[in-house]
Amino acid sequence: MNGARILLGVTGGIAAYKAAALTSTLVQRGALVDVVMTAEAERFVAPLTFAALTGRPVFGSLWDAPERIPHVRLVRENAVVLVAPATANALAKLAHGIADDLLTAAVLAARIPVILAPAMNDAMYANPATQANLATLRARGYGIVDPEAGFLAERERGIGRLASEERLLEALARTLERSRALAGKRVVVTAGPTRERFDPVRFVSNASTGAMGIAIAREAAARGAAVTLLLGPTLLEPPAGVAVWRFESARELLDLALEHAVGADVTVATAAVADWRPATVAAHKRKKGADVLEEPMLRNPDVLAELGARKGATFLVGFAAETDDHRANARVKLRAKHLDAIAVNDVAGERGFGVGRNALTLLWGDDGERDLGEGEKPELAARLWDALEARFACS
Ligand code: CTP
């Protein structure tokens, strides 16, 4: 924690007093803590308490700071945001992008990791509205330190107590360490489907949305890498802080990949590339005409195999979309495309394309294998980078 720059957000719950104790511990361990309090938090603990503990000004309203945009400066100068306690109201605002005070504006402007530690009455915590907000926030890559069961302010027992100081410190330490894990690395990620034009209004494509690749790019950026995302046609938003190049066809992706991925430290190819394209692209919309359409299809370049042939020192990771005999099929691709690792993605049934959840297994070498389990794509992206970091550290 020594020298760590932490932005601590305090919202208006009884547990706000615990944020003062946490601040004291952080300062004793050498962290530099900026505290932002909501107006409601100031009803529970005086800003003076935090000012005295940190020896720094405490930020309250968007309007009383001497400069015009304190919310942006605060998230640029700090390495991590921890909101503790995070009330149900704060979670609801953050889940919906409401930025009507300094803290919520700062979190919305944050490109640094954000950790939320909910604390509230057990019924408020269990309410589906709160649970849905937490699921949204988690899926967007926010770290959540779950509340604990115990004695609540209402003199009853239930789930809703702010996580212990030990768990909050652990989450901060882990997040800070993680935010430096890929510092100095150049990472390229390919994501999304391709579109192979058939005529001006039709194309051949697939159900990929690019969600997995976008999550992998976002996670790499959160770990400090300089990330380039090569992104196919999708309505999903690319992550902030990442250089984005758009492609439509496999051949456009190949051009971009050869330009950006050759020489990168790590390339992760999640794009669902069409293996074939219509042999001709009609200049005008094709008319119905014949009952049976016979259209020759040409083989597309294999982008990943091309990268494998030129990979040099790049750690090259492929994805294998499989519906059966997953591992055996993926190992063939691992070898044939000269990859360092391949993540097997089960696209049968309810998982894989177009859904929030996925299941991955990482394979490398002759028999290296790590089951990354099932989960939301941002969660899996974090587990994938944990596993990859361990691999390229020893390769
Ligand atoms: N890939 C690629 N270019 C292609 C096809 C696939 O770069 N023309 C990449 C994908 O981005 C992925 C990996 O190769 O990282 C495996 O893709 P997948 O569709 O599972 O396999 P294919 O190699 O196309 O083999 P098959 O369709 O026969 O299973």
Side-chain angles (χ1 to χ4, degrees), residues 190 250 253 268-276 299-307 317-322 329 333 337 339 342-343 353:
T190 75
L253 172 60
V268 184
T270 73
V273 187
D275 290 321
W276 299 276
R299 267 290 288 277
N300 262 334
D302 189 316
V303 178
L304 192 54
E306 297 283 344
L307 288 177
V317 185
F319 261 65
E322 306 291 348
N329 283 333
K333 291 175 191 173
K337 302 193 192 196
L339 309 179
I342 192 160
F353 285 165

Side-chain angles (χ1 to χ4, degrees), residues 234-308:
T234 172
L235 295 174
L236 297 184
E237 286 289 315
V242 158
V244 181
W245 296 82
R246 306 297 301 236
F247 62 82
E248 189 167 278
S249 67
R251 285 176 299 168
E252 285 170 14
L253 172 60
L254 178 64
D255 290 344
L256 286 175
L258 293 178
E259 190 183 332
H260 296 278
V262 175
D265 292 300
V266 187
T267 294
V268 184
T270 73
V273 187
D275 290 321
W276 299 276
R277 65 180 183 276
T280 51
V281 185
H284 302 286
K285 185 182 170 204
R286 295 198 201 201
K287 293 295 175 193
K288 275 196 282 302
D291 285 344
V292 177
L293 173 70
E294 290 197 23
E295 170 65 27
M297 302 281 279
L298 300 180
R299 267 290 288 277
N300 262 334
D302 189 316
V303 178
L304 192 54
E306 297 283 344
L307 288 177

Side-chain angles (χ1 to χ4, degrees), residues 60-74:
S61 152
L62 257 171
W63 311 111
D64 53 37
E67 76 231 272
R68 298 229 312 273
I69 39 176
H71 55 297
V72 175
R73 182 178 62 74
L74 282 167

